[in-house]
Amino acid sequence: MDRREIAALLAYIGRLDPRTSRTDKAEAGDQLAQWHELLGDVPMTTPHGWDARAAARQHIRVSPYPVLPADITRPWESYRRDRLARHTDPTPGADPDDQAAWAAELVGTRRAVATGSAQPAQYRAITSSQLDPDLKTRLRENGSCIPPEVRVALAPYRPARAAREAAVAQGQPDALGVRCEWCQAQVGEPCRRRRVAPDGGARETAPRAPHPGRLDLAAARQAQEVEQAQQSALA
């Protein structure tokens, strides 16, 4: 606020709370200089919700004490913090190799949000729980929410998962689909190679290929599922 805005704010406050009014010219000048020194970086209003007069009016409504500059700066700092807390930095349009321009654009955006000149940039929220009507059809066709071409592209980065999916596609039993009775590996987890220490405890649990017993259990389960499917088809 400049000195004229400070004077207008003091006049507004004086109308609501005459205790803050200064009738002596020298006292009024000192009050104006003091408030301008403390509120010079606080705007009178912003395009997005801040109004220093509203902060002063709220204080007069709820407090028996006269308004002080701190009673304006505290709501202003809260306003700034709230806006920055709801802001997510968008990707700058500057060249990423130009670090100075990149940082300057980020700082400028944050400053605009904090001072109320721009609205916070937020991630898009979920506005509806309605599912895409074609989603069930795509899931039934693909068998997964991951499209086949994406699954192929990811295969080099997750070889164990790719080997498991390839085995299932060839009609082999899914060993990781059952719990291993030997190493106690849970469903979806690889079997572990345990080395017994001299004291009888396990010294190492490195991943390994499925234990034979786990393969047998997966094959038995697959055969049971096939039999149940055949019975359902005949029924």
Side-chain angles (χ1 to χ4, degrees), residues 197-220:
D199 60 358
R203 179 164 48 183
E204 183 180 356
T205 57
R208 55 149 290 162
H211 285 103
R214 192 176 193 181
L215 291 172
D216 293 342
L217 184 60

Side-chain angles (χ1 to χ4, degrees), residues 164 175-180 184-190 214 221:
R164 179 186 179 187
L176 270 63
V178 296
R179 180 174 177 273
C180 182
Q184 308 302 317
Q186 300 300 314
V187 175
E189 297 181 357
R214 192 176 193 181
R221 179 177 176 179

Side-chain angles (χ1 to χ4, degrees), residues 180-202:
C180 182
E181 300 296 337
W182 176 260
C183 66
Q184 308 302 317
Q186 300 300 314
V187 175
E189 297 181 357
C191 287
R192 297 283 177 174
R193 180 184 296 108
R194 294 188 294 178
R195 295 181 180 177
V196 181
D199 60 358

Side-chain angles (χ1 to χ4, degrees), residues 40 45 90 117 144 154 166 180 190 194 214-215 230:
T45 61
S117 300
S144 170
L154 291 175
C180 182
R194 294 188 294 178
R214 192 176 193 181
L215 291 172
Q230 291 175 348

Side-chain angles (χ1 to χ4, degrees), residues 129-197:
S129 60
Q130 184 177 2
L131 297 177
D132 185 345
D134 297 331
L135 179 59
K136 291 183 177 180
T137 302
R138 293 201 301 270
L139 286 175
R140 186 166 54 251
E141 293 175 350
N142 297 334
S144 170
C145 59
I146 303 178
E149 59 274 13
V150 176
R151 192 181 301 279
V152 172
L154 291 175
Y157 305 98
R158 49 178 195 173
R161 181 65 178 266
R164 179 186 179 187
E165 293 173 351
V168 173
Q170 295 173 6
Q172 300 176 9
D174 181 11
L176 270 63
V178 296
R179 180 174 177 273
C180 182
E181 300 296 337
W182 176 260
C183 66
Q184 308 302 317
Q186 300 300 314
V187 175
E189 297 181 357
C191 287
R192 297 283 177 174
R193 180 184 296 108
R194 294 188 294 178
R195 295 181 180 177
V196 181

